Amino acid sequence: MQKRLRRLMCLIMVCMLAALAVGCGKQAERSTRITVVGWNTAADTFREQAAAFEKVHPDIKVDVQTVDSSYTRIMPRLTAGTDLPDVMVFQNRDFSTFLNRNEDAFLDLSSDFEDSRDRFVPASWEAVTKDGKIYGVPTDMGPAALFYRSDLFDKAGIKVDEIETWEDLIAAGKKLSAATGGETVMLGTAEDTDFYDQLLNQAGGHYVSQDDKTIVLNSAEGQKAMELMQRMIKEGVLKNVGDWDGRLMAMKRSQIAAVPYGVWFAGNISSSLPDQKGKWKIMPLPAIEKGGVRAANAGGSVVAIAANSRHKEAAIEFVKFCENTDEGEAIALKHGLFPAYTPIYKSQEFQKSDDYFGFAIYTMFAKVAEEIQPLHRGPISLDSSKATKELIQNVIAGKDVKSSLDAAVREIAEATGLKAGE
């Protein structure tokens, strides 16, 4: 009797183990793994978001890989049309180029995010839409403002509330130089388009026409922005600092007193210049004309999903979690990314005071973000860097603005096959 009972118990256990094995096999079959790529902060943010996402979706595993921001691992795959990651990050200024070159490579997300448009800063959709369709989702933005040394302003008797336009800032820059014996100028610019892009954005200009057929950098708006920049140089209030490191060195040595840049630059200042804590403040950009726009965008990223992903539904769910939920965006905020997703602006974390600057900087940048006008770059970003760098160098050197713009437009047109505007 006991032998029969033991045999029966053994048989039951064998059956249970077999059933468990079958169940585990089915679970393993149901488990989905997606690959996500990003660089530096984006990759770190995705890793933490992935950990939170997997708790809610245990059947989906997220493999986050770090890549470079030059897209060297992405471009060959886009060209071949195979072996793409499920989820990819692009700088918002570059995505239009990739979209125009390889539209079929990216999943149409219109049905998944059309109803969420009003939860994001309106201007952030410019980079990811084409012909009314959505091919990506905005992640972070770079609303710009003027970072300035309050101690140097006080020394020169400059009152921030009296600076409404760039004309006002030019006048203040002359006072600053006089008060410091010429040791400090108001602004510094590197030999890139970062500052010019902000002025162009404020002026309502674009790189390419809305139909993506004509280079319009030499439009009246483009010329106005560039002439303003060159005037600042000639008036002695804008100094050429060469490059990124030159800018930080000039700030450290008090050779420049203000920097117009995106919200993300706050982290660079606090980490690079810890001994200047309490001296740097932030104000809205001056307007080109009194009563004009005091906002511009300087940076930001978007995410897209590969059209040939074998796990589209899982990839969509992950992107929704990261970019369209308070939990996902709170993680991005913790990593220093300024969300394009506006509901997070009401959170306590978003509204807390910044210890380095002495006030809640994100709430100020949120107001800036609301006023940003779209700047259309079209499909030229990756093919225009040489021409635009030469353009900035020529203008800094004092060459004629209109001729320099026309030359840059012709060079970009030749490189891209688009029409050169007149």
Side-chain angles (χ1 to χ4, degrees):
M1 181 70 178
Q2 289 182 347
K3 289 183 178 180
R4 288 183 180 178
L5 183 60
R6 282 198 296 270
R7 288 175 181 172
L8 181 60
M9 291 297 295
C10 288
L11 181 60
I12 291 173
M13 289 190 67
V14 169
C15 292
M16 288 177 64
L17 288 171
L20 182 61
V22 171
C24 289
K26 289 181 178 179
Q27 185 174 355
E29 290 175 4
R30 289 199 305 269
S31 181
T32 299
R33 180 175 295 275
I34 61 173
T35 301
V36 179
V37 299
W39 56 84
N40 300 334
T41 303
D44 293 339
T45 303
F46 276 140
R47 287 190 181 94
E48 189 169 344
Q49 289 171 326
F53 174 78
E54 288 174 356
K55 291 179 181 179
V56 183
H57 300 274
D59 58 326
I60 302 175
K61 303 302 177 186
V62 183
D63 177 22
V64 179
Q65 300 176 4
T66 302
V67 296
D68 63 85
S69 58
S70 298
Y71 315 110
T72 54
R73 290 178 57 185
I74 298 296
M75 283 195 280
R77 301 182 191 185
L78 283 170
T79 302
T82 59
D83 198 29
L84 281 169
D86 298 285
V87 180
M88 298 162 278
V89 176
F90 299 86
Q91 293 189 61
N92 57 12
R93 67 185 180 189
D94 297 333
F95 186 64
S96 293
T97 301
F98 286 107
L99 183 58
N100 278 272
R101 286 181 179 177
N102 308 94
E103 181 178 327
D104 293 340
F106 302 106
L107 187 64
D108 181 354
L109 299 172
S110 302
S111 61
D112 300 290
F113 287 93
E114 182 63 46
D115 292 341
S116 299
R117 273 182 177 267
D118 60 357
R119 308 184 84 189
F120 293 77
V121 175
S124 67
W125 290 105
E126 166 69 26
V128 296
T129 55
K130 181 182 179 183
D131 299 329
K133 296 181 180 179
I134 299 173
Y135 290 94
V137 183
T139 58
D140 60 295
M141 292 188 68
L146 189 71
F147 298 85
Y148 69 94
R149 281 278 297 274
S150 59
D151 58 325
L152 295 176
F153 272 40
D154 291 341
K155 181 179 180 179
I158 299 171
K159 297 181 179 179
V160 172
D161 57 3
E162 294 180 355
I163 299 176
E164 297 182 26
T165 65
W166 289 106
E167 185 73 34
D168 296 333
L169 193 70
I170 290 173
K174 293 178 179 179
K175 290 180 63 176
L176 177 69
S177 293
T180 60
E183 293 184 4
T184 306
V185 299
M186 179 60 77
L187 301 166
T189 185
E191 294 179 357
D192 53 39
T193 63
D194 290 356
F195 182 36
Y196 173 65
D197 286 353
Q198 295 174 57
L199 296 175
L200 179 65
N201 197 183
Q202 286 187 291
H206 304 280
Y207 273 72
V208 179
S209 60
Q210 294 297 322
D211 61 6
D212 288 336
K213 293 181 179 180
T214 308
I215 312 296
V216 295
L217 199 57
N218 55 348
S219 65
E221 294 82 5
Q223 188 171 341
K224 177 190 288 188
M226 192 62 83
E227 287 174 345
L228 176 57
M229 182 175 172
Q230 190 178 72
R231 185 184 162 210
M232 292 180 194
I233 295 170
K234 290 180 177 179
E235 296 279 356
V237 300
L238 178 61
K239 175 182 180 179
N240 179 15
V241 295
D243 55 21
W244 176 266
D245 292 335
R247 179 188 288 109
L248 291 176
M249 186 59 68
M251 294 167 67
K252 183 176 183 179
R253 294 174 176 173
S254 300
Q255 294 173 338
I256 58 176
V259 180
Y261 237 150
V263 55
W264 48 268
F265 194 59
N268 294 100
I269 295 178
S270 60
S271 61
S272 301
L273 307 170
D275 58 324
Q276 294 182 8
K277 177 182 177 181
K279 296 180 179 180
W280 284 96
K281 302 296 181 184
I282 313 173
M283 62 174 284
L285 291 175
I288 291 181
E289 298 173 351
K290 191 168 184 177
V293 177
R294 302 189 65 174
N297 190 60
S301 306
V302 304
V303 291
I305 297 174
N308 61 3
S309 168
R310 293 182 299 168
H311 310 293
K312 295 181 180 65
E313 293 78 11
I316 291 170
E317 286 303 314
F318 179 67
V319 170
K320 283 183 176 180
F321 175 84
C322 294
E323 315 305 342
N324 200 16
T325 68
D326 290 353
E327 184 178 358
E329 292 291 1
I331 294 171
L333 190 63
K334 187 169 69 172
H335 284 267
L337 299 177
F338 186 91
Y341 172 84
T342 58
I344 198 68
Y345 296 176
K346 298 177 182 179
S347 70
Q348 184 176 353
E349 185 67 19
F350 187 89
Q351 297 179 9
K352 76 176 184 179
S353 178
D354 183 281
D355 185 53
Y356 186 90
F357 293 96
F359 75 105
I361 67 172
Y362 281 166
T363 56
M364 190 208 79
F365 280 104
K367 293 178 182 178
V368 173
E370 293 176 359
E371 299 180 24
I372 293 173
Q373 304 176 91
L375 188 157
H376 190 64
R377 295 179 180 273
I380 68 167
S381 178
L382 301 181
D383 300 309
S384 63
S385 57
K386 178 178 177 292
T388 54
K389 183 172 183 178
E390 291 174 352
L391 167 65
I392 298 300
Q393 289 174 333
N394 288 338
V395 170
I396 289 176
K399 294 185 178 181
D400 181 71
V401 167
K402 185 65 166 64
S403 298
S404 298
L405 281 167
D406 287 343
V409 166
R410 288 194 297 270
E411 186 175 342
I412 297 171
E414 290 176 5
T416 61
L418 272 64
K419 180 182 176 182
E422 299 179 0

